Amino acid sequence: MPAKAPAPLRVVVVDDSPEFVNSALRRLAFDAGVEVVGCASSGREAIQLVAALTPDLVLMDLAMPEMNGLEATRLIKADDNPPQVVILTLYDDPAYRDAASAAGADAFVTKADWTVQMPRALEALYGPAFQVRSR
């Protein structure tokens, strides 16, 4: 009997830019190891979605209306069994990296280089056994 493929990572994408969300969804659709289960456009919406869907991973923008990604990350990570959170942002600055870490983010990836950095971040979070599998 062939070995069963591991379940895909259940992901929520949080970003107020519809263009970036659409780009991320197109990119993630090629990864058999990832299943996007929801999208949110604000930190407040992200908190509700994470509570309802219990994803494995949240890709979180920093600058959003209503509640920014740092505050949302802090609240999400305060739960008993929180998902991994990867900050995904335009702002590649040491101060933002430090703030993301202080908020409890598990990784920090820049949007400018996310197609290269995201697989590395996933391997760092889930170990070398995790491989994004092309469909």
Side-chain angles (χ1 to χ4, degrees), residues 45-114:
E45 189 180 345
I47 291 167
Q48 295 169 349
L49 209 54
V50 166
L53 299 175
T54 61
D56 304 306
L57 176 67
V58 178
L59 303 180
M60 179 80 72
D61 188 24
L62 277 182
M64 293 180 292
E66 295 181 41
M67 179 186 293
N68 69 42
L70 294 175
E71 187 175 346
T73 297
R74 196 173 296 109
L75 292 170
I76 288 168
K77 294 304 264 186
D79 284 343
D80 288 338
N81 191 21
Q84 303 280 347
V85 176
V86 175
I87 297 294
L88 189 58
T89 184
L90 290 171
Y91 308 108
D92 189 9
D93 182 278
Y96 287 116
R97 288 178 182 272
D98 292 345
S101 179
D106 300 287
F108 187 99
V109 171
T110 62
K111 287 181 180 178
D113 200 24
W114 88 286

Side-chain angles (χ1 to χ4, degrees), residues 2-24:
K4 184 178 175 185
L9 287 178
R10 295 171 32 83
V11 177
V12 167
V13 177
V14 184
D15 200 298
D16 64 327
S17 166
E19 294 82 13
F20 182 79
V21 169
N22 288 333
S23 173

